Amino acid sequence: MFLAVREFRHARLRYILIGAIIALIAWLVFLLSGLATGLATDNGASLMNMEADHLVFQADVRFFLHRSILPEEAVEAVRAVPGVTAAAPLGHLTVTVTRGEEDEKIDATILAIDPNSFLAPRIVEGQTFAGQPAASVVVNDSFKRHGVRLGDRLMVSPSGTVLTVVGFTTGQTYNHLPVIFMDIPTWRELKFAAPGSAGSVVDPISAVAVQMDESAAARVEQDVPGVEVATRQVALENLPGYREEMGTITLMLAFLFVIAAFVLAVFFYILTLQKTNQFGVLKALGATTSFLARDLIAQVILLTLLGVAAAAGLTYIVAAMIPPEIPFSLDSRLILTYAVVLVGVGLLGTLLSLRRIAKIDPLIAIGRVD
């Protein structure tokens, strides 16, 4: 550690440049992690925040909520299965709405629920639609960016159905769209307006949200015909585009970690070559290979920690400046995890240099000095 600090002071500019490159790589990693978290949240926040352990879908629809149609009697059938604590109906529909007589169109996802069930969203302004007139809705607070206020009317295109906003919730998005919560009957009028669109299903719903233990999931599939059960995480991963988005960003992060390892390996290997004579002299004076190795490791840890800390600070500054409509969310635990990985990658990149230090012959090194 003593030699590492003295080298930092002696070759300040060199190590500042190396630290800056480490900081830029770490900064990009943190920004991508924030984008990945933001996209995942924007795609399935309603599922993430849902007070349900599992979702029951129609069989053979690949856990796609927009394809699933079940009879409402399935709710009672699921509720009767041993191990099921609670079950509630859930409806899904993607719509376009306009506010009052405004021309601005807002794409949204409708989630139809029983307002007295565990699926009821947390109200941050206004009130729930329970006990309110038909077509009363609770919307995500991102609607406020479009000028929507309590009491406003939203017209659904092309049906012309008018919805009245009675409350706002927060953190409710589905498939990158803000969510509108409404009652099941109004949702049915919208989704199944065309005669025969529900087929032979009586009182259709999209799925059943369930609170139950893991062992009950298999019993539900056995006791209730024509259904498949998915955990909330599986349902989230089967959202359209979710795996592709996460896979792309994960691959980019993996490449960044590999690049960081190569960059650090090259930098410190070159520095080791430049200091071969110095290491040889130190070995001739009695310094052991382990002592020199610890010195190099201390350099890498200090430099990487400083670079990662600077990158984390820059990331939080940028996060505060990003507009709310951009899906970006920082998870401090994930940032800490990636910081530790980057330090580990830095240490991994020094293996080549450590091997070089171990092979230095002090007599040859001193001969070079002469």
Side-chain angles (χ1 to χ4, degrees), residues 15-80:
Y15 286 104
I16 286 176
L17 291 175
I18 297 174
I21 292 173
I22 294 172
L24 289 173
I25 293 174
W27 191 22
L28 188 53
V29 168
F30 295 157
L31 288 175
L32 280 175
S33 73
L35 181 60
T37 305
L39 284 171
T41 302
D42 196 55
N43 201 352
S46 291
L47 284 179
M48 294 177 183
N49 297 326
M50 189 177 289
E51 297 291 333
D53 306 311
H54 296 75
L55 290 173
V56 178
F57 296 86
Q58 177 188 350
D60 301 322
V61 297
R62 296 170 55 193
F63 305 126
F64 286 175
L65 194 57
H66 61 281
R67 293 181 183 175
S68 178
I69 300 179
L70 294 172
E72 190 170 10
E73 64 184 19
V75 179
E76 291 301 325
V78 170
R79 192 177 288 137

Side-chain angles (χ1 to χ4, degrees), residues 77 324 362 370:
D370 295 335

Side-chain angles (χ1 to χ4, degrees), residues 8 18 25 79-80 85 93 154 159 169 192 209 267 271 276 299 312:
F8 286 161
I18 297 174
I25 293 174
R79 192 177 288 137
T85 306
L93 179 64
L154 304 175
S159 69
T169 184
F192 305 105
F267 271 126
L271 289 177
T276 298
Q299 280 187 351

Side-chain angles (χ1 to χ4, degrees), residues 142-226:
S142 58
F143 271 87
K144 292 181 178 180
R145 295 201 293 266
H146 299 278
V148 177
R149 299 292 180 264
L150 289 175
D152 282 359
R153 295 171 179 267
L154 304 175
M155 187 175 69
V156 181
S157 301
S159 69
T161 303
V162 176
L163 311 175
T164 303
V165 178
V166 297
F168 285 98
T169 184
T170 188
Q172 296 289 345
T173 55
Y174 187 91
N175 204 17
H176 299 298
L177 297 175
V179 168
I180 299 174
F181 288 94
M182 65 168 52
D183 60 89
I184 299 286
T186 304
W187 166 77
R188 286 189 185 128
E189 292 176 6
L190 289 171
K191 186 173 179 69
F192 305 105
S197 56
S200 60
V201 178
V202 179
D203 296 330
I205 59 174
S206 295
V208 182
V210 189
Q211 292 178 340
M212 62 180 173
D213 54 51
E214 194 66 37
S215 62
R219 290 196 293 269
V220 169
E221 290 187 344
Q222 291 175 358
D223 297 350
V224 183

Side-chain angles (χ1 to χ4, degrees), residues 39 43 62 64 236-252:
L39 284 171
N43 201 352
R62 296 170 55 193
F64 286 175
L236 177 65
E237 292 173 356
N238 279 274
L239 284 173
Y242 181 90
R243 294 190 184 190
E244 291 78 4
E245 290 174 353
M246 295 301 103
T248 300
I249 294 178
T250 300
L251 187 62
M252 293 170 67

